[in-house]
Amino acid sequence: MRKLNTRRQWRCMNKLLCQVCGGPAVDPESPLIPWLLTKTVFERTGLDSGRTNAPPTCWNCVPTALEQCPMLRDDFTLYTVRSVETAGVLANLYRPGIFREPIPTAHNVFVPWDASRYHPRTLAVAKVLELHGMKHVGP
Ligand SMILES: [Zn+2]
């Protein structure tokens, strides 16, 4: 999941599109959003909330994702999500070297939108959403 195409990841997160088929992930009947998560792409922030860089997966594609994604074979939890809020980015951080060349200082760290002092040294690699109203569905 960390190797998901950056442009596709942002598009899926911005428009709540399924990361497998690219169609709308929101259940038209509920309107909850099914979300398959692994421990490596999820950080709990409250009893029913947490942050992730993994896009949602529509109900139709959940079986396909479970069948074909090696990360999900080892560990997954299926939730429904009531709403989302943009939280920041996963990013690589840099500092200027002696000749102003970029020197890497951190890899794949969460940078919130309000941490503006880090922004000049941040190269975003994935958008992070905060999920609200999470309900455990399975397994
Ligand atoms: Zn889908």
Side-chain angles (χ1 to χ4, degrees), residues 4 18 21 24 28 38-39 43 56 61 64 67 69-71 74 81 83 85 87-88 103 105 109 116 128-129 131:
L4 190 67
C18 171
C21 70
T38 65
K39 289 178 190 135
E43 182 181 2
C61 291
T64 305
E67 199 177 282
C69 177
M71 281 183 69
D74 297 336
V81 171
S83 63
E85 177 184 6
I103 309 285
T105 58
V109 295
S116 55
V128 175
L129 293 180
L131 313 180

Side-chain angles (χ1 to χ4, degrees), residues 40-95:
T40 56
V41 296
F42 179 68
E43 182 181 2
R44 186 166 290 285
T45 57
L47 287 176
D48 69 344
S49 62
R51 287 191 294 255
T52 186
N53 67 314
T57 306
C58 77
W59 286 122
N60 287 341
C61 291
V62 166
T64 305
L66 292 174
E67 199 177 282
Q68 294 184 7
C69 177
M71 281 183 69
L72 293 172
R73 275 187 222 132
D74 297 336
D75 146 65
F76 78 92
T77 307
L78 179 59
Y79 293 94
T80 57
V81 171
R82 187 175 23 83
S83 63
V84 302
E85 177 184 6
T86 180
V89 292
L90 274 186
N92 297 330
L93 301 183
Y94 298 87
R95 68 173 172 78

Side-chain angles (χ1 to χ4, degrees), residues 84-131:
V84 302
E85 177 184 6
T86 180
V89 292
L90 274 186
N92 297 330
L93 301 183
Y94 298 87
R95 68 173 172 78
I98 294 171
F99 303 105
R100 300 187 132 295
E101 74 280 15
I103 309 285
T105 58
H107 176 71
N108 225 17
V109 295
F110 174 62
V111 179
W113 293 126
D114 61 0
S116 55
R117 71 184 175 120
Y118 291 105
H119 293 174
R121 300 182 290 133
T122 298
L123 179 63
V125 292
K127 187 170 185 177
V128 175
L129 293 180
E130 176 126 8
L131 313 180

